[in-house]
Amino acid sequence: MGELVIPKYNAREDESKYIEFNKLIRELGYPTLEMYLTTEIRDMTGELVSPIRHERAHSWTRNAYNFLLSNLGSKNSSGSDSFMGGYISIKVVGGTIQGDTAIGWYPNGIYSVAGIILYGIIAGTSNAGYSFEDYNLGATITHGTGGTQMAYSATINSGFVWTTVTNPSDTGTATIKRYLNNNSGGSIGVNEIGLVYSIMLGGGGGSYYNLVARDVLVGTDTVPDAAQYTITYTIVTTLPA
Amino acid sequence: MEYNKYGMSEDELETKLDRLTELSGELGLFVPAARYSITSISPSGEVVDQRDGISRSWVRNAYNYIAGMMTCNPLVTAAFGAGYLSMKAVAGTMLTAAVPEFYLYSAGVVYNYELNTGYAAFVDVSTRGIVVGSGGIAESFNDYKLASGILSGTTTGKLSYQVCSYPSGTYNAGTREYTITWQRYLNNNSGAQVNVSEIGIYAYVTFLGIPTMFCRDVVTPAIVVTDAGQLLVDYAITLTYPA
């Protein structure tokens, strides 16, 4: 088994600040969601081919903030003309800006079935730096068994688990997981991971696919032919002290 | 369970909230902060009393709403408290939802968060939107309703609730703060003064449209609404975007 590694991500990776942040949210009683990313690569016998990667995700995007603000502030979306500060709009994976001043966004799902990469956890090959404005991966790995493809299984809800302790205070952890099998005949390098929500605008409207998180890996995860790649996002809520 | 922040001075809370906001921007983690303002206005239109404060009030329902919605996890109904992703309605019943969300307004088949669901409330409705009460019992994270909600009406002890809709939305590009302000007027036509010692927000959630409290703040001492006077309550919810 490989050992757990917690690599540095970038200049923001200062754990002392997270500790201070966590203490304050518990003390002051403000909700937030911290996020972690874990990846592992196993060969066809189930053996790890490289150390498990486990790190803080730094990846909430403007889309995620706007979705939350609309739903916690009870505010309709902004119009479809701008995706920037001051607008509660969504820029969907396809690149169009969606919004309607008479209705709000509501959740429709994360847990995509096998083969569907419109939403759920997705992986890509681009190592272009993360931006808060990201609305798609740089180069999404498509589903299949062709030369640069991987076979996506379903995005799995691995449950919501509470840890009840007195200090620090209670935490609730949601675990979202997806397996990708490389049957392409060659190695594939993964450099970016994303989480896409299916959301709806108003009642009866269609689904929109909303990238809420993108993580650029420090160092490529190289998935050999016939290996399995597992991506896990854990999202943690911390209750007041 | 008691928040540490309950015993904190306003200045201390402000300082710590400033630091938390700074960190949230730096780390890219959202922190929705809330502030309230409550104003008593005389029949002649003069401000009689006015209080502003940082809300100490997001309750368990709000936390679980966010966690369930942002991870698409269902609510459980076994219990309301530590260890359960559950929500408890104002009526005391447990909510059921595959994913917690605001109510789908069946007549118009729209989710208009500013008019017919979420924090919106119609005139004379004291079971939705911004609500007020006379119970001064200290806030608790597990509060699911006001201690003693004041009903809408014109008889003794009641206030006439006005419409609660169309919040303002303002953005400060310098601080990257988006603030949504909900506001509600309540008129006192009861024939006597009414004392208000708690305020809160009842959201309209799940497919059944069930009023569910998201926050509660105690006002100490109680604010007096004179006969023929008016009360104005604001809740401002601010999200600071990352640097």
Side-chain angles (χ1 to χ4, degrees):
Chain A
M1 291 288 290
E3 62 183 79
L4 194 68
V5 292
I6 305 176
K8 290 282 187 185
Y9 180 82
N10 58 24
R12 289 194 297 176
E13 188 70 19
D14 181 348
E15 190 62 24
S16 67
K17 290 185 177 177
Y18 287 98
I19 292 169
E20 182 185 3
F21 176 86
N22 198 271
K23 179 177 182 295
L24 283 169
I25 61 169
R26 284 187 279 114
E27 187 178 11
L28 303 185
Y30 287 104
T32 193
L33 294 174
E34 295 179 79
M35 183 183 258
Y36 298 85
L37 173 66
T38 305
T39 64
E40 55 184 272
I41 307 164
R42 293 179 186 274
D43 65 19
M44 64 176 68
T45 67
E47 291 294 313
L48 282 169
V49 300
S50 59
I52 294 172
R53 178 195 297 271
H54 179 74
E55 61 192 42
R56 281 187 178 275
H58 305 81
S59 50
W60 292 120
T61 60
R62 181 178 295 283
N63 277 334
Y65 273 66
N66 286 351
F67 181 68
L68 174 88
L69 185 60
S70 177
N71 280 280
L72 188 65
S74 193
K75 188 92 172 69
N76 292 332
S77 59
S78 300
S80 58
D81 53 344
S82 295
F83 183 69
M84 56 188 289
Y87 295 88
I88 310 178
S89 54
I90 297 294
K91 194 168 189 176
V92 300
V93 168
T96 58
I97 301 169
Q98 300 289 343
D100 186 321
T101 56
I103 41 184
W105 296 102
Y106 70 98
N108 191 45
I110 297 174
Y111 305 104
S112 51
V113 299
I116 296 297
I117 60 170
L118 291 170
Y119 64 104
I121 291 175
I122 56 175
T125 58
S126 170
N127 60 6
Y130 161 83
S131 164
F132 183 60
E133 312 297 339
D134 283 340
Y135 58 90
N136 198 358
L137 293 188
T140 302
I141 296 168
T142 56
H143 172 73
T145 57
T148 57
Q149 296 180 318
M150 287 207 276
Y152 286 72
S153 67
T155 303
I156 302 166
N157 182 351
S158 294
F160 195 98
V161 177
W162 290 94
T163 302
T164 303
V165 289
T166 54
N167 187 20
S169 50
D170 297 354
T171 59
T173 301
T175 302
I176 304 167
K177 181 177 287 191
R178 192 164 206 178
Y179 297 98
L180 291 75
N181 295 318
N182 182 2
N183 299 318
S184 70
S187 293
I188 294 177
V190 176
N191 288 304
E192 55 179 341
I193 307 289
L195 181 62
V196 181
Y197 287 178
S198 170
I199 60 175
M200 299 188 83
L201 183 60
S207 291
Y208 295 95
Y209 303 111
N210 173 27
L211 181 85
V212 294
R214 176 173 179 259
D215 280 281
V216 180
L217 305 180
V218 178
T220 303
D221 276 351
T222 301
V223 185
D225 181 40
Q228 186 177 63
Y229 187 52
T230 307
I231 305 166
T232 306
Y233 271 118
T234 49
I235 300 175
V236 180
T237 182
T238 301
L239 303 189
Chain B
M1 186 164 63
E2 191 174 19
Y3 288 101
N4 289 331
K5 64 180 176 179
Y6 287 154
M8 227 179 256
S9 71
E10 203 70 10
D11 286 346
E12 185 183 3
L13 183 54
E14 186 79 56
T15 300
K16 290 190 173 184
L17 180 56
D18 285 348
R19 176 59 178 156
L20 179 59
T21 301
E22 181 181 30
L23 285 169
S24 78
E26 192 173 343
L27 301 175
L29 295 168
F30 53 76
V31 176
R35 294 172 188 270
Y36 66 84
S37 173
I38 180 167
T39 307
S40 178
I41 302 165
S42 74
S44 61
E46 295 175 347
V47 172
V48 177
D49 195 355
Q50 205 264 334
R51 321 273 179 85
D52 297 311
I54 300 170
S55 176
R56 291 162 164 78
S57 59
W58 293 118
V59 293
R60 186 180 295 278
N61 279 332
Y63 273 72
N64 287 349
Y65 170 78
I66 292 170
M69 177 186 66
M70 295 294 283
T71 66
C72 282
N73 266 290
L75 299 177
V76 300
T77 57
F80 181 69
Y84 296 93
L85 186 66
S86 58
M87 295 175 71
K88 193 171 188 177
V90 173
T93 54
M94 302 297 291
L95 300 187
T96 301
V99 178
E101 59 189 358
F102 289 149
Y103 170 59
L104 171 62
Y105 183 57
S106 57
V109 197
V110 294
Y111 279 68
N112 190 327
Y113 289 3
E114 302 176 17
L115 181 64
N116 55 31
T117 190
Y119 303 161
F122 305 120
V123 66
D124 285 332
V125 172
S126 55
T127 54
R128 296 174 55 180
I130 291 174
V131 291
V132 303
S134 58
I137 299 168
E139 300 100 331
S140 162
F141 184 57
N142 287 324
D143 283 343
Y144 61 92
K145 63 179 181 178
L146 296 183
S148 182
I150 293 172
L151 300 177
S152 186
T154 56
T155 55
T156 304
K158 294 181 180 178
L159 293 169
S160 293
Y161 284 66
Q162 302 303 298
V163 168
C164 184
S165 63
Y166 293 115
S168 64
T170 59
Y171 182 69
N172 183 326
T175 59
R176 304 177 310 281
E177 293 175 339
Y178 195 108
T179 299
I180 297 169
T181 303
W182 281 87
Q183 188 173 79
R184 193 169 202 178
Y185 285 95
L186 300 93
N187 298 326
N188 183 0
N189 299 315
S190 70
Q193 77 174 41
V194 174
N195 297 336
V196 172
S197 52
E198 57 180 335
I199 58 177
I201 297 176
Y202 288 174
Y204 209 41
V205 297
T206 82
F207 271 163
L208 298 174
I210 299 173
T212 307
M213 190 168 79
F214 275 31
C215 59
R216 173 174 179 259
D217 284 285
V218 171
V219 181
T220 306
I223 194 162
V224 175
V225 188
T226 57
D227 181 38
Q230 194 173 48
L231 186 71
L232 171 62
V233 182
D234 286 4
Y235 264 108
I237 298 163
T238 299
L239 191 63
T240 302
Y241 285 69

